[in-house]
Amino acid sequence: MSTATPNPAWDASELDRAAFLAREARAFAGADAPLIAVRAPGRVNLIGEHTDYSGLPVLPVAIDRSVIIVAARSLSREISVYNSDRSYPHREFALERKIPPYATGDWANYVKAAVQGAIDHFAARGVEVSAMRGARVFVDGRVPPAAGLSSSAALTVSSALAFMAVNGLELPAIDAAAMVARSEWYVGTMAGGMDQAASLLGQRDHALFIEFNPLRAIPVKMPIDAALVVADSGEVADKSGKVRSEYNRRVVECRLAARLLARALKLGDVQILGDVVGLMKNWKASELVTALKGAVPDLLSPDLVQAGALLGVSRDDLARELLDDSRIVLDSRPLEILKRARHVLSETERVFRAVIALEEGRLDEMGRLMNDSHRSLAEDFECSTARLDRMVECARGAGALGARLTGAGFGGSIVALCRSGDVDRVIAALDADYYAPSGIEPARAILHASPGASVIEIAAA
Ligand code: NG1
């Protein structure tokens, strides 16, 4: 029998999962080995989609679907990772200053990304990798993968906390969030920091208003009669393939929009749209879009020659800065500048309005903002799909106050905001009008805002 330190953030099933993993861990590490257990939730984003990598705010909630890790410190310098889902094979890698990734798509790259992030962070503060120890790590993930619910962030956050805990390294949650924010870059996605921040800083019954540069999170109470239905389209939003190149292309388009807008407004050194918004505080999104429209064509050639000419920099310099040392490859489609900027800037205004709507309990307004967000994502950001569009229509038709795709899109899930009394109707409609005709196993649930990640100790038998 192992006893876990009580922590109200963990529900009974999560403690059971930890106890199960602890039995496996003890079989390897010995009955007396001190064990730590970590819980890190996934997240669903209410609004503020594709804004985080422009340094603009988001409004997610951490959810009651989590990754649990149990880890034992080892004397070796190997990290050995086991997954309770045996379709994710056992992996083992050595601790070193620069850890080479596995092949693209390998699940354990997220563990490597987390460990690499911690090594970089602590090495910069004088803790050398040679002083760090390896661990046996046992993972049980219950955040649906590739569904827009940040299973990857739950895995990187839990891995980072486990690695730190076995090495006696500590950080306040906000600093840990900043540390792991860039972890997905290791796997080749130029993601922003929303997912990791939500997983680390979540609070029960609250959404989180998250701002970046510097990272800051303010809890926003969810109105008592609000319920969130999350439904998976069954269309896999796989970040290791096509979705990743679409995502990274959007990142480049947004960065270009920022520089072109800064040039039009004579703003000097600007990298992301968040810089522009910060400098032009009194300007509305529509005014910024008009300024951009007056200055550049809506579409630019993908070779970056035209963009370089407009910005007065060489094509090669621009490529070096925007394409992350050629990790991003652009195909032959023209780059969309105006539409992408219009989405990001208008979405930012919606996030601020959404915070007020939630604080004032105006769920109708919140629903409208979510609907507007979906329309903008579909038309201007072009990251919705026919299935996601069908699902949001279906949820709204059955009484949801608002519904939108959540996460990067190109598949994955929708989130519908409902009054508690309407939830059953919305779920029944999704089952009857979306899942049944498409022949897809229903995958929808009512999710609750849950606490952020935490570490507990499991005492020896
Ligand atoms: P999902 O699709 O949930 O992985 C992605 C990014 C976020 C954010 C959203 C769009 C990753 C790991 N996360 O979320 O940072 O940019 O898209 O708002 O790529």
Side-chain angles (χ1 to χ4, degrees), residues 43 49-50 52-53 148 150 152 184 189 191-192 194-195 239 247 407-408:
R43 65 99 185 92
E49 214 65 87
H50 287 282
D52 60 349
Y53 51 82
S150 288
S152 59
E184 306 261 346
T189 306
M194 158 168 62
D195 309 346
K239 275 281 173 45
Y247 185 95

Side-chain angles (χ1 to χ4, degrees), residues 415-435:
V415 56
L417 176 74
C418 312
R419 292 194 196 281
S420 311
D422 294 330
V423 158
D424 291 346
R425 218 153 25 103
V426 170
I427 287 182
L430 285 166
D431 286 358
D433 302 335
Y434 176 73
Y435 290 114

Side-chain angles (χ1 to χ4, degrees), residues 17 46 162 187 225 257 277 284 314 337 388 396 404 418 422:
R17 287 158 62 199
L46 297 186
V187 297
D225 55 338
V277 171
K284 293 195 190 114
S314 82
I337 302 301
L388 292 168
R396 290 172 197 157
R404 54 184 289 283
C418 312
D422 294 330

Side-chain angles (χ1 to χ4, degrees), residues 28-40:
F28 284 96
D32 310 331
L35 300 178
I36 58 99
V38 186
R39 160 191 181 280

Side-chain angles (χ1 to χ4, degrees), residues 244-386:
R244 182 165 78 195
S245 57
E246 285 298 328
Y247 185 95
N248 287 342
R249 155 182 284 276
R250 301 297 186 279
V251 176
V252 172
E253 289 168 331
C254 289
R255 287 185 188 174
L256 266 179
R259 287 173 187 229
L260 290 162
L261 189 50
R263 185 144 177 114
L265 297 170
K266 305 195 176 24
L267 294 182
D269 187 28
V270 152
Q271 307 294 326
I272 48 179
L273 283 166
D275 296 337
V276 177
V277 171
L279 291 166
M280 305 297 291
K281 284 207 168 57
N282 296 327
W283 283 44
K284 293 195 190 114
S286 55
E287 293 169 325
L288 291 172
V289 171
T290 306
L292 184 61
K293 195 171 173 54
V296 293
D298 295 0
L299 296 175
L300 292 178
S301 62
D303 56 12
L304 298 178
V305 171
Q306 202 185 354
L310 286 164
L311 290 167
V313 295
S314 82
R315 182 259 161 219
D316 289 351
D317 284 349
L318 193 58
R320 220 178 350 268
E321 290 168 31
L322 289 179
L323 305 183
D324 189 36
D325 290 332
S326 311
R327 288 213 294 174
I328 301 185
V329 179
L330 297 172
D331 60 31
S332 60
R333 288 169 297 160
L335 297 165
E336 288 276 1
I337 302 301
L338 192 77
K339 283 168 138 190
R340 306 302 187 241
R342 187 162 56 203
H343 165 71
V344 173
L345 296 167
S346 65
E347 183 80 348
T348 298
E349 289 187 347
R350 285 187 286 273
V351 172
F352 284 105
R353 288 200 196 117
V355 171
I356 297 170
L358 283 188
E359 280 173 348
E360 294 178 351
R362 286 187 294 121
L363 288 182
D364 290 331
E365 167 71 358
M366 180 67 197
R368 270 193 297 277
L369 291 164
M370 290 170 72
N371 291 340
D372 290 349
S373 168
H374 185 84
R375 189 176 321 112
S376 174
L377 287 161
E379 290 172 8
D380 278 348
F381 222 70
E382 296 175 287
C383 63
S384 187
T385 64

